[in-house]
Amino acid sequence: MAGPEDTETPGRRTPEASTTALTGALDAIGTAGYVVDEEGHVIAVNARAEELLLRPAAELLGRDAHDLLHRDSHGHPLPRSRCSMRQAFHDGRTAQGEEDYFECGDGSLLPVSWLITPYDVGGGETGTLVLVHARQPHATAQRTAMWTGPLPELERLALLAETTTQLASTLDVEEALSRLVSLVVPRLADWVVVDLITERDEVWRAAVVHAEGDALVRHEDLQGPMPPVPEESPMPLSRALRGVASTLAGPRTYQREPDSGIAVEQRRLFEATGISSAAIAPIRSPRAVLGALTVGRSGEPGEFTTADLPLIEDIARRAGLALDNARLYQRQRKVAETMQNHLLPQLPGVPDLQMTARYLPAPDASQVGGDWYDAFSLSDGATALAVGDVVGHDLEAAAGMAQVRNMLRAYAWAHQEPPSRIVDRLDEAVMHITDVTMATLILARIEADEAGDWQLSWTNAGHPPPLLISRDGLAHYLTDGHGLLLGTGVRRPRTDATAPLPPGSTLVLYTDGLIEAPGHSLDDGLQRLRRHAAALAHRPLASFTDQLLRRVRPDANDDDVALLAVRVPTRT
């Protein structure tokens, strides 16, 4: 294992008391192991590692573990760039490898599998624990060796830590299930089955996966809807789906006369998979039973025992928390999106004007809700255009957005005044009769004179500037008429700006989610939008809008986007 540099550095000396304590902890593990410091030098080693590697502790301590031990399949020193352990070591994460080689003290080459995980070495310092197993010639024999008894305590803790990290870092149900499967097989079993209870209290067999060598094969023919959970059945899966207990099971468990439809499906599962031993645990959240986790082994030896159940239960419990969070997230996101979509208006039909609008929710539900667009006819015959962004998140922002939009409509219809005066009225009202803290906004009027020439007048309250693209692809931002955003409490006169809209030109109003991206300046986003809008000027308006979103919206976008595009007619 290598440290941050590619040249060997002398190992740091670890206090003797610390080394003794680490060695004592390693000796209690029950498998070969050693600990390295932040530079990759061995600072403690147990007797099992000495025996496995045919090297005394004195030969290992203080040495760079990568340089001393790691070899390729031909016995040559392994380049650091090809060392899979090295990357995980630098990332400070738990990882494992199945097909690597160590050089023993007698010069022989030892095929090994390994597991590494961050480890507290005391004194406020963090090292890395390395557990090493001699690898058998065949994957089946290797897996059998792993299954001969419960995992040693440190391996168990490492697996649970990795489970927590992997499952807690996603809020997507399908991704959480995929990660759960990868954590369980083939480390604990060669089959994994996940049954989930849907929000309508129906059971769905969401995953049946088999480890075949290095590949995980999904058996979709065994997945799908399941019969309802029986209320009194003593059968293992039925009990787990009721949240009663974890249980061991085998083919003979379901050879008796089935007492429910679920028992029939379980018999089919055991017959189709050849599982000879299984452990079944409920997947619970703090609020409800979400399903059941079944791990199965289809070979001999390696049957599950009651000593394996606590680990399976711990994994299922962590899976329950992750799945519950993912479901809550998706439910919240759906509510926010539904509310937002219902609040966004239908565009009016205006003779000669083409209009189209798009709203894209944020990937993160906590960001959905504040962006909006609007277009409506005014009492004097002009058409009002608006786009804005209410500061806040989720339903709170969506509700604030609805308040601002409706108040703006009322003021604009009732008062035949310039946009700046309408926004002044709105700003004063927002601070007194809404819960909106701050918001940005563009309000514009678009109308044609008697000669058929189209004119735009607008005011900008702290919002990204509109973009005007000519029929020939000349694009520029309308930067005049800029003033303070709403809700600051500062009373300064707002200004209006006017600009002619050339025949066939396209006006784009948008929110900042279209142009902002982590690690990039706002100018970068504005330049990207201008360049792509100019290139798409010849497209029909609907195609122009869709392509603009696809090309410009950053991949790392974590905000929602509202976009309103208007095209004036060409001269006949």
Side-chain angles (χ1 to χ4, degrees), residues 372 385-389 404-405 408 419 422-423 426-427 439-444 459-464 481 483-486 494:
W372 58 280
L385 308 174
V387 66
D389 187 359
V404 170
R405 191 202 71 184
L408 179 65
I422 300 298
V423 173
L426 178 66
D427 192 9
T440 65
L441 167 73
I442 289 177
L443 174 63
T459 192
N460 187 331
H463 201 79
L484 291 175
L485 70 167
L486 307 183
R494 298 184 181 276

Side-chain angles (χ1 to χ4, degrees), residues 92-373:
R93 57 182 170 85
T94 298
Q96 64 179 5
E98 303 293 342
E99 298 183 2
D100 285 291
Y101 298 88
F102 280 7
E103 182 178 297
C104 295
D106 63 354
S108 62
L109 196 62
L110 178 68
V112 296
S113 60
W114 50 265
L115 181 146
I116 69 169
T117 190
Y119 190 78
D120 183 5
V121 299
E125 296 188 6
T126 301
T128 299
L129 170 67
V130 183
L131 302 177
V132 183
H133 299 269
R135 180 163 50 85
Q136 300 298 323
H138 302 290
T140 301
Q142 175 192 344
R143 225 171 18 242
T144 298
M146 293 174 66
W147 299 343
T148 54
L151 287 180
E153 180 64 15
L154 202 58
E155 287 188 60
R156 175 181 175 278
L157 293 176
L159 174 57
L160 291 177
E162 185 179 2
T163 301
T164 300
T165 301
Q166 289 287 327
L167 297 184
S169 60
T170 180
L171 289 173
D172 180 84
V173 171
E174 291 300 321
E175 178 63 23
L177 287 176
S178 176
R179 294 183 183 187
L180 174 61
V181 166
S182 299
L183 287 163
V184 172
V185 292
R187 193 178 303 184
L188 298 178
D190 57 348
W191 285 93
V192 61
V193 181
V194 180
D195 296 292
L196 295 181
I197 300 174
T198 70
E199 294 183 356
R200 297 186 177 182
D201 289 329
E202 298 172 347
V203 181
W204 188 272
R205 182 147 281 173
V208 179
V209 179
H210 182 219
E212 297 181 3
D214 294 332
L216 298 181
V217 179
R218 183 178 290 269
H219 291 255
E220 295 184 358
D221 57 314
L222 299 175
Q223 299 174 180
M226 295 278 284
V229 180
E231 295 182 1
E232 303 294 337
S233 172
M235 303 302 284
L237 180 59
S238 299
R239 286 166 57 84
L241 289 171
R242 297 198 305 270
V244 176
S246 56
T247 321
L248 301 178
R252 284 184 290 183
T253 308
Y254 288 93
Q255 285 177 355
R256 68 185 71 172
E257 186 68 23
D259 64 353
S260 64
I262 279 185
V264 173
E265 289 299 321
Q266 280 296 86
R267 177 190 289 180
R268 185 167 80 95
L269 175 72
F270 278 93
E271 290 174 351
T273 61
I275 292 175
S276 59
S277 176
I280 305 175
I283 298 176
R284 297 188 185 93
S285 76
R287 301 177 300 111
V289 179
L290 303 182
L293 171 67
T294 300
V295 291
R297 297 170 180 170
S298 57
E300 293 288 350
E303 291 191 355
F304 284 105
T305 68
T306 55
D308 295 303
L309 291 179
L311 176 60
I312 307 301
E313 290 171 346
D314 278 342
I315 292 173
R317 188 177 303 113
R318 285 162 170 76
L321 291 173
L323 290 172
D324 192 46
N325 287 337
R327 284 183 172 182
L328 288 173
Y329 165 88
Q330 291 181 347
R331 188 181 304 122
Q332 181 186 40
R333 178 183 179 84
K334 185 176 181 180
V335 170
E337 288 181 18
T338 300
M339 182 177 180
Q340 178 71 290
N341 287 327
H342 280 298
L343 291 173
L344 292 172
Q346 296 294 318
L347 298 180
V350 180
D352 297 327
L353 273 186
Q354 298 180 48
M355 280 191 283
T356 186
R358 299 289 185 269
Y359 171 75
L360 295 181
D364 182 352
S366 67
Q367 303 296 326
V368 174
D371 292 24
W372 58 280
Y373 62 83

Side-chain angles (χ1 to χ4, degrees), residues 26-96:
L26 289 175
D27 284 335
I29 291 176
T31 191
Y34 57 88
V35 176
V36 298
D37 62 17
E38 294 179 347
E39 295 179 353
H41 298 98
V42 179
I43 57 175
V45 59
N46 66 11
R48 289 180 178 268
E50 293 181 80
E51 295 172 4
L52 180 68
L53 301 175
L54 303 178
R55 296 179 185 272
E59 186 178 327
L60 290 162
L61 293 175
R63 299 289 297 277
D64 184 296
H66 175 88
D67 293 342
L68 182 65
L69 300 174
H70 292 215
R71 301 293 181 266
D72 64 18
S73 58
H74 302 290
H76 301 138
L78 183 67
R80 295 169 185 262
S81 60
R82 288 172 48 199
C83 181
S84 56
M85 189 187 292
R86 178 175 181 263
Q87 184 60 54
F89 167 71
H90 283 310
D91 292 344
R93 57 182 170 85
T94 298
Q96 64 179 5

